[in-house]
């Protein structure tokens, strides 16, 4: 191709380049125009991060000097002078979201994860962020999360879609202090404790779990609410339709229902190999015929409290409370492998509210605001004393209604989580739409095995000797 032909194509190449730039500008403007106020602020923040990075990085100690010249620099050197050293700066990819920016950067020699973490306070000031976190993002990469607006004090609302969850037993809790989604895998988990002062979000947290899981035929719910007497009262009045059984604060009624659950646990333990062909239900996952049974025990202290007195009524209540504790202990210690999950909610999970032989077997614990260090330690363990920022005694401000602390799943320490609000109307809608899915798991087991448990006094006569819990 001649020089004249090359020159002739130049206007076309230039025009195509200008057209691409114009298209990019139009798309950027449209995206900005369609964004809400928070997203627009984050887009402007992302532009500022990119524009100022080359100047900010050396000042924050995030650059390195390369004294070895490139081959091209060596060839272009004149008068025998050595080429000037190059200053290398990590490359950035910046993505805005409603709370701030997510920045991915590559590491350099002497500019690695540790250097980025030390520079986090300087980056927060320069980028005008509430806080900045730096975590590894694969070999030679880091991910920097900067939040312009504190997610913990930004109220959020969750509108359940009514769609079947993609993965069974995955609990979407909300977002952490860096606006990153927090999920907990409850498969293979025997129990969960939820503590916190009244009105700080315990019930809404459980409401979301029920609403998100309700569309699944592989999950069944049973409810205990120690602060009401009837099913139509209290916080779970709308969700009762999706539960196959429910009791209020009557200890005798609760005792009967706990016994039913233990009978189910025993029947499942005895039949799991013959029905599912495995030792643990989680080897095959829950199904419509063998669903995960979620027992929600709210105001759990109602069912376990110690009664002291010599009159017949007090003695009866004391016996029922002790029996209830024994039965729930059975469910928590032996129910995991057969698909029983117990969620216990109370104001403070000290030993007088949830017996320690139950509480200490539950591997997942959350706590909303607490008034005392004793209650915080009971809910989250002794280590919470070393993490003052995440201690639930610091969550008593009304701005933190809906914020819980829990042990961090991916790194040492504790995380604070903003849990969203679920409206009563949405809960009622989901419960009404999924009410037909509520079935007693014992009936399902009987139907699946073709046998009648009601005619058998001893479950071992039907299924053989009960194996020890896995």
């Amino acid at each position: 191709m001649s020089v004249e032909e090359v020159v002739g194509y130049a206007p076309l190449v230039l025009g195509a380049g200008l057209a691409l730039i114009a298209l990019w500008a139009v798309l950027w403007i449209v995206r900005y125009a369609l964004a809400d106020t928070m997203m627009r602020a984050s887009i402007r923040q992302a532009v500022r991060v990119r524009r100022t990075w080359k100047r900010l990085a050396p000042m924050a100690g995030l650059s390195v000097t390369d004294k070895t010249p490139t081959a091209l620099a060596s060839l272009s050197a004149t008068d025998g002078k050595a080429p000037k050293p190059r200053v290398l700066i990590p490359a950035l990819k910046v993505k805005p979201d409603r709370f701030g920016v997510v920045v991915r950067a590559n590491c350099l020699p002497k500019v690695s994860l540790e250097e980025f973490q030390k520079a986090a306070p300087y980056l927060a000031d320069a980028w005008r962020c509430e806080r900045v976190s730096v975590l590894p993002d694969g070999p030679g990469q880091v991910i920097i999360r900067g939040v312009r607006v504190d997610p913990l004090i930004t109220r959020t609302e969750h509108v359940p879609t009514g769609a079947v969850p993609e993965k069974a037993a995955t609990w979407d809790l909300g977002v952490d202090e860096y606006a990153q989604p927090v999920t907990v895998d409850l498969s293979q988990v025997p129990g969960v404790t939820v503590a916190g002062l009244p009105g700080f979000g315990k019930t809404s947290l459980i409401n979301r779990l029920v609403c998100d899981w309700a569309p699944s035929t592989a999950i069944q719910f049973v409810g205990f609410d120690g602060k009401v007497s009837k099913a139509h009262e209290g916080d779970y009045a709308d969700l009762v339709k999706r539960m196959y059984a429910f009791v209020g604060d009557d200890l005798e009624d609760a005792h009967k229902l706990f016994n039913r659950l233990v009978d189910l646990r025993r029947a499942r333990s005895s039949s799991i190999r013959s029905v599912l062909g495995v030792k643990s239900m989680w080897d095959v996952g829950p199904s419509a015929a063998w669903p995960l049974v979620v027992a929600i025990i709210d105001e759990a202290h109602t069912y376990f409290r110690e009664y002291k007195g010599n009159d017949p009524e007090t003695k009866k209540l004391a016996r029922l409370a002790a029996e209830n504790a024994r039965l729930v202990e059975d469910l928590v210690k032996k129910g995991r492998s057969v698909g029983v999950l117990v969620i216990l909610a109370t104001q403070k999970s000290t030993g007088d509210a949830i017996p320690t032989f139950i509480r200490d077997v539950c591997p997942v614990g959350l706590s909303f605001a607490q008034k005392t260090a004793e209650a915080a330690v009971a809910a989250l363990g002794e280590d919470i004393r070393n993490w003052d920022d995440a201690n639930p005694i610091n969550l008593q401000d009304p701005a933190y209604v809906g914020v819980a602390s829990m042990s961090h799943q991916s790194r040492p320490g504790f995380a604070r989580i903003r849990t969203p609000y679920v409206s009563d109307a949405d809960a009622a809608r989901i419960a009404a739409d999924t009410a037909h899915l509520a079935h007693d798991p014992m009936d399902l087991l009987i139907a699946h095995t073709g046998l009648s448990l009601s005619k058998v006094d001893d479950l071992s006569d039907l299924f053989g000797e009960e194996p020890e819990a896995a």
Side-chain angles (χ1 to χ4, degrees), residues 181-250:
V182 178
T183 60
V184 176
D185 185 1
L186 294 183
S187 61
Q188 300 283 5
V189 171
V192 176
T193 60
V194 182
L197 295 174
F200 272 82
K202 298 189 300 295
T203 302
S204 187
L205 175 75
I206 297 173
N207 278 354
R208 178 180 182 179
L209 180 142
V210 176
C211 289
D212 286 350
W213 289 8
S216 174
T217 58
I219 299 175
Q220 295 296 338
F221 301 94
V222 55
F224 301 78
D225 189 352
K227 61 180 177 292
V228 301
S229 298
K230 303 295 182 181
H232 66 271
E233 303 170 349
D235 297 319
Y236 298 99
D238 297 318
L239 295 176
V240 167
K241 294 179 181 178
R242 183 56 180 89
M243 299 179 180
Y244 75 86
F246 179 89
V247 297
D249 59 1
D250 188 283

Side-chain angles (χ1 to χ4, degrees), residues 31 42 45 54 91 100 120 122-123 145 178-179 192 197 242 275 298 307 323 336 361 375 402 425 433 438 467:
R31 180 190 178 198
S42 294
Q45 183 183 28
K54 286 188 177 181
Y122 310 129
L123 299 180
R145 175 55 169 158
Y178 298 100
V192 176
L197 295 174
R242 183 56 180 89
V275 176
D298 202 352
Y307 289 86
E323 276 292 297
R336 174 186 58 82
V361 183
D433 291 346

